[in-house]
Amino acid sequence: MAEEFHNLGLTGTERGIYTVLIFLVAYGFVMAEEFTHLRKSKPVIFAAAVIWGHVAILAQEAGVSGEELHKAFEHDLKEYAELMLFLLVAMTYINSMAERNVFEALRSWLIRKQFGYKQLFWITGIITFFLSAVADNLTSALLVGAVVMAVGADNEKFVSVGFVNLVIAANAGGAFCPFGDITTLMVWQAGYAEFFDFFKLFIPSVVNFVVPAFFMAQAVPDGQPLATNEVAVQLKPGGWVVCGLFGVTIGLAVSFKQLLHLPPFMGMMFGMSILMLFTYYLKVRFPSEEGGPHIDVFDRVKEAEWDTLLFFFGVVFAVGGLGYIGYLELLSGAMYDGLGQTTANILVGIISAVVDNIPVMFAVLNMNLDMDLYQWLLVTLTAGVGGSLFSVGSAAGVALMGQSNHKYTFFSHLKWTPVIAAGYAASIVTHYLING
């Protein structure tokens, strides 16, 4: 669809430059969310509306027809709708599993096993790595972060190093599966790689996690957390079935894309309808006193991360508007034509350590680049794991700073940036050796 309309080529106009400033100011508020407590979705939605207002005026002045303008606008709407519906179903399933005590049972099991600090460091990292391949990195980091806080409340050093480990594991685990990270999902839905192509990034992702973890493990204190009176948490009826249905839903999303050539979100919506029918069965099968409160799917939808979904709306339309003016073509020329594809793709990961990887990847996808599979997988890897370099580079890091009661901070993470950078470089070399 991007080929059906041409950008306006008005990057040098006063109004065009004004739209870039609007975006930069809005993004400044996003980056300062930890201090201002202004939800990140609010400034970018505002910026998106203002930018498209200016795009419409520029298009009119350039003599572009309303139909042509609508084509550009509808392209962004289609992009957003497909990803939003996909993510909404995934979030609903994760919330339903949480409601059935799936994650609480895992947390209580880990606490009751009385592992040592070093064992816990590796166990929580590995669980986060694999969990974030199906749940998003934010959810995975928060769920396992609660375990680290519960067992290490009296040991600040363990919490600090453990949280850095979780951020790296969550970002690395999300890079090799379309369900793990929004950027990976975007590349898959855009059709630049097939579902199973992304698993070529599994070993580079493991390297990205293991290299810094090996060095950080040396700083983990010896000994064992104090014993707790943690009681075993029982799953509510249907807990395992909801997990199984999530697996089926993933299979449906892949099948709809691979076999029926329909967008993956249609398979996800099919899976959501199965969850709705199963929750109705639970309501009929178990009186409320036996099964506890029943899953209300619409309550689980309500609990989705709407701030993230609406932030994504703002990013898609703001970046899309700037692209229609011509700024993405300008950026593409500077980065990909000037530096070469490999250097530019590595730079994308470094940029995503400061700027959220969603707008960075959306910009790359809308540059209409002619790259082979190796390069698309490289930019998927770098955009996914680059956010680990700083605590503010990913949603997982920002959320854990809020959860840690000042035990994990920007500077406690920064201390480990050299070894994280070593893992970043090692994963790129590994990708070249395996897939190059």
Side-chain angles (χ1 to χ4, degrees):
M1 278 192 69
E3 300 300 319
E4 290 179 18
F5 55 85
H6 302 286
N7 66 53
L8 299 173
L10 297 173
T11 52
T13 60
E14 203 172 291
R15 198 179 287 278
I17 294 165
Y18 177 65
T19 60
V20 176
L21 291 175
I22 286 285
F23 182 73
L24 292 175
V25 170
Y27 221 83
F29 280 106
V30 171
M31 293 170 72
E33 181 187 9
E34 186 194 351
F35 310 104
T36 62
H37 304 293
L38 176 70
R39 294 288 191 90
K40 63 182 179 289
S41 58
K42 297 176 181 180
V44 287
I45 292 173
F46 178 85
V50 173
I51 288 168
W52 269 99
H54 284 279
V55 167
I57 294 168
L58 282 169
Q60 283 173 10
E61 290 173 352
V64 174
S65 68
E67 188 184 339
E68 193 73 15
L69 178 66
H70 273 251
K71 268 187 191 173
F73 189 81
E74 285 165 6
H75 170 255
D76 292 349
L77 183 61
K78 174 181 170 286
E79 292 277 332
Y80 175 67
E82 288 188 10
L83 287 159
M84 183 263 193
L85 289 170
F86 188 104
L87 291 168
L88 186 64
V89 176
M91 289 173 177
T92 302
Y93 260 103
I94 296 297
N95 291 339
S96 298
M97 287 157 69
E99 193 277 340
R100 293 287 98 178
N101 286 346
V102 172
F103 301 117
E104 269 297 299
L106 173 65
R107 186 190 64 80
S108 87
W109 178 80
L110 277 171
I111 292 170
R112 285 182 291 111
K113 291 301 282 185
Q114 288 292 289
F115 293 112
Y117 284 123
K118 286 193 185 294
Q119 287 175 301
L120 276 167
F121 175 84
W122 285 106
I123 290 168
T124 54
I126 291 166
I127 287 174
T128 304
F129 180 85
F130 286 103
L131 185 59
S132 70
V134 286
D136 65 283
N137 57 9
L138 172 64
T139 304
S140 309
L142 283 174
L143 289 169
V144 186
V147 176
V148 172
M149 281 297 287
V151 297
D154 57 333
N155 194 314
E156 192 168 319
K157 192 173 184 183
F158 170 69
V159 173
S160 174
V161 180
F163 272 22
V164 178
N165 188 43
L166 294 190
V167 171
I168 299 165
N171 291 332
F176 71 88
C177 178
F179 287 81
D181 194 292
I182 294 175
T183 52
T184 315
L185 174 62
M186 287 159 79
V187 176
W188 179 42
Q189 293 217 136
Y192 289 112
E194 297 298 334
F195 182 81
F196 296 103
D197 286 336
F198 291 101
F199 290 92
K200 292 176 180 176
L201 292 176
F202 176 72
I203 294 174
S205 297
V206 170
V207 169
N208 183 270
F209 160 57
V210 170
V211 168
F214 171 78
F215 290 104
M216 291 191 298
Q218 316 308 314
V220 175
D222 292 316
Q224 204 167 318
L226 297 171
T228 62
N229 298 319
E230 182 72 27
V231 181
V233 173
Q234 300 300 319
L235 290 185
K236 293 179 185 175
W240 287 118
V241 178
V242 172
C243 295
L245 289 179
F246 188 37
V248 169
T249 300
I250 290 172
L252 286 169
V254 176
S255 301
F256 268 62
K257 178 87 161 64
Q258 305 291 114
L259 305 177
L260 302 177
H261 307 293
L262 288 170
F265 80 85
M266 202 64 222
M268 294 294 283
M269 293 302 286
F270 185 18
M272 189 173 185
S273 70
I274 297 170
L275 176 65
M276 289 171 162
L277 294 171
F278 177 67
T279 57
Y280 175 74
Y281 161 77
L282 283 180
K283 186 177 178 180
V284 173
R285 172 73 178 76
F286 294 101
S288 56
E289 62 271 12
E290 286 181 32
H294 296 296
I295 305 178
D296 185 330
V297 174
F298 296 102
D299 278 347
R300 304 290 80 81
V301 170
K302 208 161 54 179
E303 290 166 6
E305 293 159 32
W306 283 100
D307 181 42
T308 299
L309 292 172
L310 292 174
F311 167 72
F312 195 43
F313 167 86
V315 163
V316 166
F317 279 91
V319 173
L322 293 174
Y324 188 47
I325 294 170
Y327 285 105
L328 295 185
E329 192 178 316
L330 205 65
L331 194 60
S332 169
M335 283 179 63
Y336 285 87
D337 297 340
L339 300 172
Q341 292 181 350
T342 301
T343 307
N345 287 332
I346 292 169
L347 188 61
V348 163
I350 296 167
I351 292 168
S352 70
V354 183
V355 179
D356 193 280
N357 59 5
I358 295 173
V360 175
M361 182 57 91
F362 188 73
V364 169
L365 289 170
N366 280 271
M367 287 175 184
N368 299 320
L369 300 167
D370 182 22
M371 296 198 297
D372 58 15
L373 178 63
Y374 168 78
Q375 292 292 348
W376 279 113
L377 290 179
L378 175 61
V379 75
T380 301
L381 175 70
T382 57
V385 304
S388 302
L389 290 165
F390 298 127
S391 64
V392 294
S394 65
V398 173
L400 287 179
M401 281 195 291
Q403 190 186 39
S404 71
N405 295 331
H406 308 294
K407 292 185 175 78
Y408 166 68
T409 63
F410 177 84
F411 291 103
S412 69
H413 188 107
L414 191 65
K415 187 171 70 174
W416 294 105
T417 294
V419 297
I420 298 168
Y424 180 72
S427 65
I428 293 167
V429 171
T430 306
H431 173 53
Y432 172 73
L433 294 174
I434 296 173
N435 305 316

